[in-house]
Amino acid sequence: MKILVTGGLGFIGSHTTVELQNKGYEVIIIDDLSNSTEKVLDGIVAITGKRPTFEKLDLKEKSKVEDFFKRHQDIVGVIHFAASKAVGESVEKPLLYYENNIGTLVYLLKELSQKNNSSFIFSSSCTVYGQADKMPITESAPVKAAESPYGNTKQMGEEIIRDTCKVTPGINAIALRYFNPMGAHPSAEIGELPIGVPQNLVPFITQTGIGLREQLSVFGGDYPTTDGTCIRDYIHVVDLAKAHVVALERLLNGKNSENYEVFNVGTGTGSTVLEVIKSFERVSGKKLNYKIVDRRPGDITSAYADTTKANKVLGWKAESTLDEAMKSAWLWEQKVRK
Ligand code: UD1
């Protein structure tokens, strides 16, 4: 069965391609290489022994998207990762984010609506919950006003898919609301590409650990948590990738109860920033140079998932511990700096 993975050379897309190929799916990747490189394909081959088909394509070019689907009428499922994801940049350049993340989604759904039966998985984010009132966060927690254009594209993306599914019985879709993805494939053949200064915690920690950055700033030590630092639900990217495969299979096998569904994808466990640092120190045997500084504007105190729905309905559960995920992130960091 042929599956299209948009943004398949990116961090989560490449890990999902590996898991799809491991299960025998034929993968075709489209990626505009704006935040990835073709070298990622070699990593995928090293792990799976199989090179996915790759086409460099910018989803903003509507006529090229139409032409692509004409040439690949046998695609039965789409996992859509291609999107911009830097929160700060989205505040500076909102239209870029709305064009990249919303325009392209609309073009894809237009193509899928012309097919009799198609399965669509959307990368959403726990950012849609904002600071939820209750922990852990269930899927029925209200969606709160977005803090950034990036967050807004995830909320709007979900709404666009929901509205489309209502009137298009041929499209079956699942939105996966990711908590905080981290780590790399344990083989260290693929991972998060180190382009620019990392905004996210874990790559900043490993880059500091290896000496590329002098010090990690811990944003805020006065939050109402056990040690004063923020709580997040860090999920190993391989576990997250596997969630995409089971979600897709639910649709391919017609097991979905509605033609648009939403699932949280996290571990169910919250960790503070200091706990994440301690995990790094355990797995690397190094002391991390860090300093507690002011809070980062827009950060929430706490977010971790209630994963009951994904556990029961998808039969999926995150398997890796924080230390296992951190170990893979550290291995990857050491490999890319060689
Ligand atoms: C961020 C985005 C979120 C997006 C996700 C994508 C914000 C407010 N949220 O989530 O919308 O979906 O990335 O991966 O930007 N931290 C430090 N020092 C650092 C970096 C982070 O202390 O140098 C802390 C943060 O304050 C936070 C935690 O580490 O408590 C995780 O931060 P980060 O990795 O940026 O993820 P989120 O903010 O949860």
Side-chain angles (χ1 to χ4, degrees), residues 87 125 127 150 180-181 199-201 204 216-219 230 232 234 273 296 298-299:
V87 177
S125 167
T127 194
Y150 160 78
N180 289 53
Q199 308 295 311
N200 294 114
L201 178 64
F204 207 106
L216 168 79
S217 296
V218 173
F219 299 134
C230 293
R232 297 288 185 275
Y234 296 90
V273 177
R296 178 171 71 176
D299 266 344

mmCIF file with all atom_site columns, all heavy atoms in Angstrom, residues 87 125 127 150 180-181 199-201 204 216-219 230 232 234 273 296 298-299, ligand 1:
data_model
loop_
_atom_site.group_PDB
_atom_site.id
_atom_site.type_symbol
_atom_site.label_atom_id
_atom_site.label_alt_id
_atom_site.label_comp_id
_atom_site.label_asym_id
_atom_site.label_entity_id
_atom_site.label_seq_id
_atom_site.pdbx_PDB_ins_code
_atom_site.Cartn_x
_atom_site.Cartn_y
_atom_site.Cartn_z
_atom_site.occupancy
_atom_site.B_iso_or_equiv
_atom_site.pdbx_formal_charge
_atom_site.auth_seq_id
_atom_site.auth_comp_id
_atom_site.auth_asym_id
_atom_site.auth_atom_id
_atom_site.pdbx_PDB_model_num
ATOM   1   N N   . VAL A 1 87  ? 7.813  28.807 16.867 1.00 0.00 ? 87  VAL A N   1
ATOM   2   C CA  . VAL A 1 87  ? 6.796  29.674 17.476 1.00 0.00 ? 87  VAL A CA  1
ATOM   3   C C   . VAL A 1 87  ? 7.162  31.155 17.327 1.00 0.00 ? 87  VAL A C   1
ATOM   4   O O   . VAL A 1 87  ? 6.349  31.974 16.879 1.00 0.00 ? 87  VAL A O   1
ATOM   5   C CB  . VAL A 1 87  ? 6.620  29.314 18.964 1.00 0.00 ? 87  VAL A CB  1
ATOM   6   C CG1 . VAL A 1 87  ? 5.635  30.244 19.637 1.00 0.00 ? 87  VAL A CG1 1
ATOM   7   C CG2 . VAL A 1 87  ? 6.161  27.864 19.111 1.00 0.00 ? 87  VAL A CG2 1
ATOM   8   N N   . SER A 1 125 ? -0.977 19.531 17.829 1.00 0.00 ? 125 SER A N   1
ATOM   9   C CA  . SER A 1 125 ? -0.086 19.785 18.958 1.00 0.00 ? 125 SER A CA  1
ATOM   10  C C   . SER A 1 125 ? -0.892 20.024 20.229 1.00 0.00 ? 125 SER A C   1
ATOM   11  O O   . SER A 1 125 ? -2.011 20.552 20.184 1.00 0.00 ? 125 SER A O   1
ATOM   12  C CB  . SER A 1 125 ? 0.726  21.038 18.640 1.00 0.00 ? 125 SER A CB  1
ATOM   13  O OG  . SER A 1 125 ? 1.384  21.512 19.792 1.00 0.00 ? 125 SER A OG  1
ATOM   14  N N   . THR A 1 127 ? -0.379 22.233 22.027 1.00 0.00 ? 127 THR A N   1
ATOM   15  C CA  . THR A 1 127 ? -0.465 23.689 22.148 1.00 0.00 ? 127 THR A CA  1
ATOM   16  C C   . THR A 1 127 ? -1.919 24.161 22.010 1.00 0.00 ? 127 THR A C   1
ATOM   17  O O   . THR A 1 127 ? -2.268 25.233 22.501 1.00 0.00 ? 127 THR A O   1
ATOM   18  C CB  . THR A 1 127 ? 0.480  24.366 21.120 1.00 0.00 ? 127 THR A CB  1
ATOM   19  O OG1 . THR A 1 127 ? 0.640  25.730 21.453 1.00 0.00 ? 127 THR A OG1 1
ATOM   20  C CG2 . THR A 1 127 ? -0.018 24.279 19.703 1.00 0.00 ? 127 THR A CG2 1
ATOM   21  N N   . TYR A 1 150 ? 1.673  30.177 14.933 1.00 0.00 ? 150 TYR A N   1
ATOM   22  C CA  . TYR A 1 150 ? 1.957  28.742 14.782 1.00 0.00 ? 150 TYR A CA  1
ATOM   23  C C   . TYR A 1 150 ? 0.860  27.916 15.468 1.00 0.00 ? 150 TYR A C   1
ATOM   24  O O   . TYR A 1 150 ? 0.277  27.009 14.878 1.00 0.00 ? 150 TYR A O   1
ATOM   25  C CB  . TYR A 1 150 ? 3.334  28.398 15.385 1.00 0.00 ? 150 TYR A CB  1
ATOM   26  C CG  . TYR A 1 150 ? 3.469  26.923 15.694 1.00 0.00 ? 150 TYR A CG  1
ATOM   27  C CD1 . TYR A 1 150 ? 3.722  25.998 14.683 1.00 0.00 ? 150 TYR A CD1 1
ATOM   28  C CD2 . TYR A 1 150 ? 3.279  26.437 16.995 1.00 0.00 ? 150 TYR A CD2 1
ATOM   29  C CE1 . TYR A 1 150 ? 3.795  24.645 14.960 1.00 0.00 ? 150 TYR A CE1 1
ATOM   30  C CE2 . TYR A 1 150 ? 3.352  25.083 17.275 1.00 0.00 ? 150 TYR A CE2 1
ATOM   31  C CZ  . TYR A 1 150 ? 3.611  24.195 16.264 1.00 0.00 ? 150 TYR A CZ  1
ATOM   32  O OH  . TYR A 1 150 ? 3.668  22.854 16.538 1.00 0.00 ? 150 TYR A OH  1
ATOM   33  N N   . ASN A 1 180 ? 5.584  16.734 23.864 1.00 0.00 ? 180 ASN A N   1
ATOM   34  C CA  . ASN A 1 180 ? 6.908  17.235 23.466 1.00 0.00 ? 180 ASN A CA  1
ATOM   35  C C   . ASN A 1 180 ? 7.803  16.134 22.901 1.00 0.00 ? 180 ASN A C   1
ATOM   36  O O   . ASN A 1 180 ? 8.402  15.373 23.668 1.00 0.00 ? 180 ASN A O   1
ATOM   37  C CB  . ASN A 1 180 ? 7.581  17.911 24.665 1.00 0.00 ? 180 ASN A CB  1
ATOM   38  C CG  . ASN A 1 180 ? 6.928  19.221 25.031 1.00 0.00 ? 180 ASN A CG  1
ATOM   39  O OD1 . ASN A 1 180 ? 5.704  19.275 25.237 1.00 0.00 ? 180 ASN A OD1 1
ATOM   40  N ND2 . ASN A 1 180 ? 7.693  20.286 25.091 1.00 0.00 ? 180 ASN A ND2 1
ATOM   41  N N   . PRO A 1 181 ? 7.924  16.059 21.586 1.00 0.00 ? 181 PRO A N   1
ATOM   42  C CA  . PRO A 1 181 ? 8.756  15.011 20.990 1.00 0.00 ? 181 PRO A CA  1
ATOM   43  C C   . PRO A 1 181 ? 10.243 15.264 21.264 1.00 0.00 ? 181 PRO A C   1
ATOM   44  O O   . PRO A 1 181 ? 10.686 16.417 21.266 1.00 0.00 ? 181 PRO A O   1
ATOM   45  C CB  . PRO A 1 181 ? 8.490  15.145 19.481 1.00 0.00 ? 181 PRO A CB  1
ATOM   46  C CG  . PRO A 1 181 ? 7.351  16.084 19.326 1.00 0.00 ? 181 PRO A CG  1
ATOM   47  C CD  . PRO A 1 181 ? 7.312  16.925 20.558 1.00 0.00 ? 181 PRO A CD  1
ATOM   48  N N   . GLN A 1 199 ? 15.495 25.970 19.635 1.00 0.00 ? 199 GLN A N   1
ATOM   49  C CA  . GLN A 1 199 ? 14.510 26.644 20.482 1.00 0.00 ? 199 GLN A CA  1
ATOM   50  C C   . GLN A 1 199 ? 13.999 25.686 21.551 1.00 0.00 ? 199 GLN A C   1
ATOM   51  O O   . GLN A 1 199 ? 13.558 26.105 22.609 1.00 0.00 ? 199 GLN A O   1
ATOM   52  C CB  . GLN A 1 199 ? 13.306 27.117 19.645 1.00 0.00 ? 199 GLN A CB  1
ATOM   53  C CG  . GLN A 1 199 ? 13.669 27.946 18.425 1.00 0.00 ? 199 GLN A CG  1
ATOM   54  C CD  . GLN A 1 199 ? 14.319 29.266 18.799 1.00 0.00 ? 199 GLN A CD  1
ATOM   55  O OE1 . GLN A 1 199 ? 13.808 29.992 19.637 1.00 0.00 ? 199 GLN A OE1 1
ATOM   56  N NE2 . GLN A 1 199 ? 15.464 29.563 18.199 1.00 0.00 ? 199 GLN A NE2 1
ATOM   57  N N   . ASN A 1 200 ? 14.045 24.401 21.234 1.00 0.00 ? 200 ASN A N   1
ATOM   58  C CA  . ASN A 1 200 ? 13.469 23.403 22.139 1.00 0.00 ? 200 ASN A CA  1
ATOM   59  C C   . ASN A 1 200 ? 14.500 22.935 23.164 1.00 0.00 ? 200 ASN A C   1
ATOM   60  O O   . ASN A 1 200 ? 15.704 22.982 22.927 1.00 0.00 ? 200 ASN A O   1
ATOM   61  C CB  . ASN A 1 200 ? 12.915 22.213 21.350 1.00 0.00 ? 200 ASN A CB  1
ATOM   62  C CG  . ASN A 1 200 ? 11.732 22.620 20.490 1.00 0.00 ? 200 ASN A CG  1
ATOM   63  O OD1 . ASN A 1 200 ? 11.815 22.587 19.270 1.00 0.00 ? 200 ASN A OD1 1
ATOM   64  N ND2 . ASN A 1 200 ? 10.649 23.041 21.119 1.00 0.00 ? 200 ASN A ND2 1
ATOM   65  N N   . LEU A 1 201 ? 13.971 22.477 24.281 1.00 0.00 ? 201 LEU A N   1
ATOM   66  C CA  . LEU A 1 201 ? 14.825 22.164 25.437 1.00 0.00 ? 201 LEU A CA  1
ATOM   67  C C   . LEU A 1 201 ? 15.876 21.087 25.159 1.00 0.00 ? 201 LEU A C   1
ATOM   68  O O   . LEU A 1 201 ? 17.057 21.280 25.430 1.00 0.00 ? 201 LEU A O   1
ATOM   69  C CB  . LEU A 1 201 ? 13.930 21.740 26.616 1.00 0.00 ? 201 LEU A CB  1
ATOM   70  C CG  . LEU A 1 201 ? 14.675 21.335 27.881 1.00 0.00 ? 201 LEU A CG  1
ATOM   71  C CD1 . LEU A 1 201 ? 15.463 22.510 28.455 1.00 0.00 ? 201 LEU A CD1 1
ATOM   72  C CD2 . LEU A 1 201 ? 13.699 20.795 28.931 1.00 0.00 ? 201 LEU A CD2 1
ATOM   73  N N   . PHE A 1 204 ? 18.833 21.809 22.954 1.00 0.00 ? 204 PHE A N   1
ATOM   74  C CA  . PHE A 1 204 ? 19.687 22.819 23.609 1.00 0.00 ? 204 PHE A CA  1
ATOM   75  C C   . PHE A 1 204 ? 20.537 22.162 24.691 1.00 0.00 ? 204 PHE A C   1
ATOM   76  O O   . PHE A 1 204 ? 21.722 22.472 24.851 1.00 0.00 ? 204 PHE A O   1
ATOM   77  C CB  . PHE A 1 204 ? 18.852 23.987 24.166 1.00 0.00 ? 204 PHE A CB  1
ATOM   78  C CG  . PHE A 1 204 ? 19.647 25.256 24.237 1.00 0.00 ? 204 PHE A CG  1
ATOM   79  C CD1 . PHE A 1 204 ? 19.431 26.281 23.319 1.00 0.00 ? 204 PHE A CD1 1
ATOM   80  C CD2 . PHE A 1 204 ? 20.657 25.413 25.184 1.00 0.00 ? 204 PHE A CD2 1
ATOM   81  C CE1 . PHE A 1 204 ? 20.197 27.445 23.356 1.00 0.00 ? 204 PHE A CE1 1
ATOM   82  C CE2 . PHE A 1 204 ? 21.430 26.578 25.221 1.00 0.00 ? 204 PHE A CE2 1
ATOM   83  C CZ  . PHE A 1 204 ? 21.194 27.590 24.305 1.00 0.00 ? 204 PHE A CZ  1
ATOM   84  N N   . LEU A 1 216 ? 22.918 26.443 29.350 1.00 0.00 ? 216 LEU A N   1
ATOM   85  C CA  . LEU A 1 216 ? 21.476 26.379 29.121 1.00 0.00 ? 216 LEU A CA  1
ATOM   86  C C   . LEU A 1 216 ? 20.796 27.377 30.053 1.00 0.00 ? 216 LEU A C   1
ATOM   87  O O   . LEU A 1 216 ? 21.080 27.390 31.259 1.00 0.00 ? 216 LEU A O   1
ATOM   88  C CB  . LEU A 1 216 ? 20.959 24.966 29.430 1.00 0.00 ? 216 LEU A CB  1
ATOM   89  C CG  . LEU A 1 216 ? 19.431 24.855 29.496 1.00 0.00 ? 216 LEU A CG  1
ATOM   90  C CD1 . LEU A 1 216 ? 18.817 24.794 28.096 1.00 0.00 ? 216 LEU A CD1 1
ATOM   91  C CD2 . LEU A 1 216 ? 18.997 23.631 30.303 1.00 0.00 ? 216 LEU A CD2 1
ATOM   92  N N   . SER A 1 217 ? 19.906 28.189 29.486 1.00 0.00 ? 217 SER A N   1
ATOM   93  C CA  . SER A 1 217 ? 19.077 29.033 30.341 1.00 0.00 ? 217 SER A CA  1
ATOM   94  C C   . SER A 1 217 ? 17.807 28.265 30.665 1.00 0.00 ? 217 SER A C   1
ATOM   95  O O   . SER A 1 217 ? 17.093 27.839 29.751 1.00 0.00 ? 217 SER A O   1
ATOM   96  C CB  . SER A 1 217 ? 18.677 30.320 29.610 1.00 0.00 ? 217 SER A CB  1
ATOM   97  O OG  . SER A 1 217 ? 19.820 31.081 29.337 1.00 0.00 ? 217 SER A OG  1
ATOM   98  N N   . VAL A 1 218 ? 17.545 28.081 31.937 1.00 0.00 ? 218 VAL A N   1
ATOM   99  C CA  . VAL A 1 218 ? 16.275 27.459 32.353 1.00 0.00 ? 218 VAL A CA  1
ATOM   100 C C   . VAL A 1 218 ? 15.286 28.600 32.542 1.00 0.00 ? 218 VAL A C   1
ATOM   101 O O   . VAL A 1 218 ? 15.503 29.474 33.394 1.00 0.00 ? 218 VAL A O   1
ATOM   102 C CB  . VAL A 1 218 ? 16.463 26.650 33.654 1.00 0.00 ? 218 VAL A CB  1
ATOM   103 C CG1 . VAL A 1 218 ? 15.121 26.144 34.171 1.00 0.00 ? 218 VAL A CG1 1
ATOM   104 C CG2 . VAL A 1 218 ? 17.434 25.498 33.428 1.00 0.00 ? 218 VAL A CG2 1
ATOM   105 N N   . PHE A 1 219 ? 14.234 28.575 31.741 1.00 0.00 ? 219 PHE A N   1
ATOM   106 C CA  . PHE A 1 219 ? 13.311 29.718 31.741 1.00 0.00 ? 219 PHE A CA  1
ATOM   107 C C   . PHE A 1 219 ? 12.332 29.644 32.908 1.00 0.00 ? 219 PHE A C   1
ATOM   108 O O   . PHE A 1 219 ? 11.280 29.020 32.816 1.00 0.00 ? 219 PHE A O   1
ATOM   109 C CB  . PHE A 1 219 ? 12.538 29.785 30.424 1.00 0.00 ? 219 PHE A CB  1
ATOM   110 C CG  . PHE A 1 219 ? 13.426 29.971 29.210 1.00 0.00 ? 219 PHE A CG  1
ATOM   111 C CD1 . PHE A 1 219 ? 13.242 29.206 28.072 1.00 0.00 ? 219 PHE A CD1 1
ATOM   112 C CD2 . PHE A 1 219 ? 14.447 30.922 29.208 1.00 0.00 ? 219 PHE A CD2 1
ATOM   113 C CE1 . PHE A 1 219 ? 14.050 29.380 26.947 1.00 0.00 ? 219 PHE A CE1 1
ATOM   114 C CE2 . PHE A 1 219 ? 15.261 31.105 28.092 1.00 0.00 ? 219 PHE A CE2 1
ATOM   115 C CZ  . PHE A 1 219 ? 15.052 30.330 26.959 1.00 0.00 ? 219 PHE A CZ  1
ATOM   116 N N   . CYS A 1 230 ? 9.032  24.448 34.758 1.00 0.00 ? 230 CYS A N   1
ATOM   117 C CA  . CYS A 1 230 ? 7.828  24.013 34.028 1.00 0.00 ? 230 CYS A CA  1
ATOM   118 C C   . CYS A 1 230 ? 7.788  22.506 33.818 1.00 0.00 ? 230 CYS A C   1
ATOM   119 O O   . CYS A 1 230 ? 8.835  21.856 33.681 1.00 0.00 ? 230 CYS A O   1
ATOM   120 C CB  . CYS A 1 230 ? 7.807  24.633 32.640 1.00 0.00 ? 230 CYS A CB  1
ATOM   121 S SG  . CYS A 1 230 ? 7.596  26.391 32.613 1.00 0.00 ? 230 CYS A SG  1
ATOM   122 N N   . ARG A 1 232 ? 6.482  19.354 31.384 1.00 0.00 ? 232 ARG A N   1
ATOM   123 C CA  . ARG A 1 232 ? 6.024  18.928 30.055 1.00 0.00 ? 232 ARG A CA  1
ATOM   124 C C   . ARG A 1 232 ? 6.046  17.408 29.987 1.00 0.00 ? 232 ARG A C   1
ATOM   125 O O   . ARG A 1 232 ? 6.681  16.745 30.808 1.00 0.00 ? 232 ARG A O   1
ATOM   126 C CB  . ARG A 1 232 ? 6.952  19.463 28.949 1.00 0.00 ? 232 ARG A CB  1
ATOM   127 C CG  . ARG A 1 232 ? 7.023  20.971 28.821 1.00 0.00 ? 232 ARG A CG  1
ATOM   128 C CD  . ARG A 1 232 ? 5.764  21.562 28.238 1.00 0.00 ? 232 ARG A CD  1
ATOM   129 N NE  . ARG A 1 232 ? 5.906  22.992 28.022 1.00 0.00 ? 232 ARG A NE  1
ATOM   130 C CZ  . ARG A 1 232 ? 5.696  23.923 28.952 1.00 0.00 ? 232 ARG A CZ  1
ATOM   131 N NH1 . ARG A 1 232 ? 5.319  23.575 30.187 1.00 0.00 ? 232 ARG A NH1 1
ATOM   132 N NH2 . ARG A 1 232 ? 5.855  25.197 28.671 1.00 0.00 ? 232 ARG A NH2 1
ATOM   133 N N   . TYR A 1 234 ? 7.436  14.618 27.807 1.00 0.00 ? 234 TYR A N   1
ATOM   134 C CA  . TYR A 1 234 ? 8.433  14.379 26.754 1.00 0.00 ? 234 TYR A CA  1
ATOM   135 C C   . TYR A 1 234 ? 8.282  12.971 26.209 1.00 0.00 ? 234 TYR A C   1
ATOM   136 O O   . TYR A 1 234 ? 8.386  11.999 26.956 1.00 0.00 ? 234 TYR A O   1
ATOM   137 C CB  . TYR A 1 234 ? 9.844  14.595 27.308 1.00 0.00 ? 234 TYR A CB  1
ATOM   138 C CG  . TYR A 1 234 ? 10.066 16.040 27.722 1.00 0.00 ? 234 TYR A CG  1
ATOM   139 C CD1 . TYR A 1 234 ? 9.782  16.457 29.021 1.00 0.00 ? 234 TYR A CD1 1
ATOM   140 C CD2 . TYR A 1 234 ? 10.506 16.987 26.801 1.00 0.00 ? 234 TYR A CD2 1
ATOM   141 C CE1 . TYR A 1 234 ? 9.947  17.790 29.400 1.00 0.00 ? 234 TYR A CE1 1
ATOM   142 C CE2 . TYR A 1 234 ? 10.669 18.320 27.166 1.00 0.00 ? 234 TYR A CE2 1
ATOM   143 C CZ  . TYR A 1 234 ? 10.391 18.709 28.463 1.00 0.00 ? 234 TYR A CZ  1
ATOM   144 O OH  . TYR A 1 234 ? 10.545 20.028 28.830 1.00 0.00 ? 234 TYR A OH  1
ATOM   145 N N   . VAL A 1 273 ? 11.745 20.787 34.023 1.00 0.00 ? 273 VAL A N   1
ATOM   146 C CA  . VAL A 1 273 ? 12.978 21.070 33.268 1.00 0.00 ? 273 VAL A CA  1
ATOM   147 C C   . VAL A 1 273 ? 14.180 20.513 34.037 1.00 0.00 ? 273 VAL A C   1
ATOM   148 O O   . VAL A 1 273 ? 15.084 19.902 33.442 1.00 0.00 ? 273 VAL A O   1
ATOM   149 C CB  . VAL A 1 273 ? 13.142 22.591 33.023 1.00 0.00 ? 273 VAL A CB  1
ATOM   150 C CG1 . VAL A 1 273 ? 14.457 22.883 32.304 1.00 0.00 ? 273 VAL A CG1 1
ATOM   151 C CG2 . VAL A 1 273 ? 11.970 23.137 32.208 1.00 0.00 ? 273 VAL A CG2 1
ATOM   152 N N   . ARG A 1 296 ? 10.108 32.569 30.154 1.00 0.00 ? 296 ARG A N   1
ATOM   153 C CA  . ARG A 1 296 ? 9.987  32.889 28.736 1.00 0.00 ? 296 ARG A CA  1
ATOM   154 C C   . ARG A 1 296 ? 8.536  33.283 28.471 1.00 0.00 ? 296 ARG A C   1
ATOM   155 O O   . ARG A 1 296 ? 7.621  32.526 28.834 1.00 0.00 ? 296 ARG A O   1
ATOM   156 C CB  . ARG A 1 296 ? 10.366 31.652 27.905 1.00 0.00 ? 296 ARG A CB  1
ATOM   157 C CG  . ARG A 1 296 ? 10.247 31.825 26.413 1.00 0.00 ? 296 ARG A CG  1
ATOM   158 C CD  . ARG A 1 296 ? 10.836 30.641 25.657 1.00 0.00 ? 296 ARG A CD  1
ATOM   159 N NE  . ARG A 1 296 ? 10.037 29.420 25.782 1.00 0.00 ? 296 ARG A NE  1
ATOM   160 C CZ  . ARG A 1 296 ? 10.304 28.280 25.145 1.00 0.00 ? 296 ARG A CZ  1
ATOM   161 N NH1 . ARG A 1 296 ? 11.369 28.196 24.358 1.00 0.00 ? 296 ARG A NH1 1
ATOM   162 N NH2 . ARG A 1 296 ? 9.542  27.228 25.312 1.00 0.00 ? 296 ARG A NH2 1
ATOM   163 N N   . GLY A 1 298 ? 4.935  33.556 27.185 1.00 0.00 ? 298 GLY A N   1
ATOM   164 C CA  . GLY A 1 298 ? 4.102  32.610 26.438 1.00 0.00 ? 298 GLY A CA  1
ATOM   165 C C   . GLY A 1 298 ? 4.175  31.188 26.962 1.00 0.00 ? 298 GLY A C   1
ATOM   166 O O   . GLY A 1 298 ? 3.371  30.340 26.577 1.00 0.00 ? 298 GLY A O   1
ATOM   167 N N   . ASP A 1 299 ? 5.157  30.880 27.835 1.00 0.00 ? 299 ASP A N   1
ATOM   168 C CA  . ASP A 1 299 ? 5.254  29.518 28.364 1.00 0.00 ? 299 ASP A CA  1
ATOM   169 C C   . ASP A 1 299 ? 4.124  29.245 29.347 1.00 0.00 ? 299 ASP A C   1
ATOM   170 O O   . ASP A 1 299 ? 3.734  30.122 30.124 1.00 0.00 ? 299 ASP A O   1
ATOM   171 C CB  . ASP A 1 299 ? 6.587  29.308 29.101 1.00 0.00 ? 299 ASP A CB  1
ATOM   172 C CG  . ASP A 1 299 ? 7.653  28.711 28.207 1.00 0.00 ? 299 ASP A CG  1
ATOM   173 O OD1 . ASP A 1 299 ? 7.310  28.183 27.133 1.00 0.00 ? 299 ASP A OD1 1
ATOM   174 O OD2 . ASP A 1 299 ? 8.836  28.778 28.596 1.00 0.00 ? 299 ASP A OD2 1
HETATM 175 C C1  . UD1 B 2 .   ? 7.114  24.602 22.139 1.00 0.00 ? 1   UD1 B C1  1
HETATM 176 C C2  . UD1 B 2 .   ? 5.997  25.470 21.676 1.00 0.00 ? 1   UD1 B C2  1
HETATM 177 C C3  . UD1 B 2 .   ? 4.873  24.615 21.215 1.00 0.00 ? 1   UD1 B C3  1
HETATM 178 C C4  . UD1 B 2 .   ? 5.322  23.708 20.105 1.00 0.00 ? 1   UD1 B C4  1
HETATM 179 C C5  . UD1 B 2 .   ? 6.529  22.914 20.550 1.00 0.00 ? 1   UD1 B C5  1
HETATM 180 C C6  . UD1 B 2 .   ? 7.118  22.215 19.363 1.00 0.00 ? 1   UD1 B C6  1
HETATM 181 C C7  . UD1 B 2 .   ? 6.174  27.569 22.935 1.00 0.00 ? 1   UD1 B C7  1
HETATM 182 C C8  . UD1 B 2 .   ? 5.567  28.401 23.989 1.00 0.00 ? 1   UD1 B C8  1
HETATM 183 N N1  . UD1 B 2 .   ? 5.593  26.381 22.720 1.00 0.00 ? 1   UD1 B N1  1
HETATM 184 O O1  . UD1 B 2 .   ? 6.640  23.841 23.248 1.00 0.00 ? 1   UD1 B O1  1
HETATM 185 O O2  . UD1 B 2 .   ? 3.832  25.419 20.754 1.00 0.00 ? 1   UD1 B O2  1
HETATM 186 O O3  . UD1 B 2 .   ? 4.306  22.841 19.732 1.00 0.00 ? 1   UD1 B O3  1
HETATM 187 O O4  . UD1 B 2 .   ? 7.532  23.765 21.096 1.00 0.00 ? 1   UD1 B O4  1
HETATM 188 O O5  . UD1 B 2 .   ? 8.141  21.381 19.737 1.00 0.00 ? 1   UD1 B O5  1
HETATM 189 O O6  . UD1 B 2 .   ? 7.145  27.947 22.336 1.00 0.00 ? 1   UD1 B O6  1
HETATM 190 N N2  . UD1 B 2 .   ? 13.145 25.574 28.159 1.00 0.00 ? 1   UD1 B N2  1
HETATM 191 C C9  . UD1 B 2 .   ? 14.188 26.113 28.881 1.00 0.00 ? 1   UD1 B C9  1
HETATM 192 N N3  . UD1 B 2 .   ? 15.300 26.530 28.219 1.00 0.00 ? 1   UD1 B N3  1
HETATM 193 C C10 . UD1 B 2 .   ? 15.437 26.440 26.857 1.00 0.00 ? 1   UD1 B C10 1
HETATM 194 C C11 . UD1 B 2 .   ? 14.350 25.878 26.112 1.00 0.00 ? 1   UD1 B C11 1
HETATM 195 C C12 . UD1 B 2 .   ? 13.216 25.465 26.802 1.00 0.00 ? 1   UD1 B C12 1
HETATM 196 O O7  . UD1 B 2 .   ? 14.118 26.210 30.109 1.00 0.00 ? 1   UD1 B O7  1
HETATM 197 O O8  . UD1 B 2 .   ? 16.460 26.859 26.312 1.00 0.00 ? 1   UD1 B O8  1
HETATM 198 C C13 . UD1 B 2 .   ? 11.948 25.095 28.884 1.00 0.00 ? 1   UD1 B C13 1
HETATM 199 C C14 . UD1 B 2 .   ? 10.674 25.808 28.496 1.00 0.00 ? 1   UD1 B C14 1
HETATM 200 O O9  . UD1 B 2 .   ? 10.470 26.916 29.316 1.00 0.00 ? 1   UD1 B O9  1
HETATM 201 C C15 . UD1 B 2 .   ? 9.640  24.710 28.710 1.00 0.00 ? 1   UD1 B C15 1
HETATM 202 C C16 . UD1 B 2 .   ? 10.383 23.423 28.414 1.00 0.00 ? 1   UD1 B C16 1
HETATM 203 O O10 . UD1 B 2 .   ? 11.761 23.741 28.519 1.00 0.00 ? 1   UD1 B O10 1
HETATM 204 O O11 . UD1 B 2 .   ? 9.259  24.678 30.038 1.00 0.00 ? 1   UD1 B O11 1
HETATM 205 C C17 . UD1 B 2 .   ? 10.104 22.883 27.026 1.00 0.00 ? 1   UD1 B C17 1
HETATM 206 O O12 . UD1 B 2 .   ? 10.295 23.918 26.079 1.00 0.00 ? 1   UD1 B O12 1
HETATM 207 P P1  . UD1 B 2 .   ? 10.256 23.651 24.509 1.00 0.00 ? 1   UD1 B P1  1
HETATM 208 O O13 . UD1 B 2 .   ? 11.128 22.503 24.169 1.00 0.00 ? 1   UD1 B O13 1
HETATM 209 O O14 . UD1 B 2 .   ? 10.515 24.954 23.836 1.00 0.00 ? 1   UD1 B O14 1
HETATM 210 O O15 . UD1 B 2 .   ? 8.765  23.166 24.250 1.00 0.00 ? 1   UD1 B O15 1
HETATM 211 P P2  . UD1 B 2 .   ? 7.381  23.875 24.623 1.00 0.00 ? 1   UD1 B P2  1
HETATM 212 O O16 . UD1 B 2 .   ? 7.553  25.267 25.039 1.00 0.00 ? 1   UD1 B O16 1
HETATM 213 O O17 . UD1 B 2 .   ? 6.664  22.970 25.546 1.00 0.00 ? 1   UD1 B O17 1
#
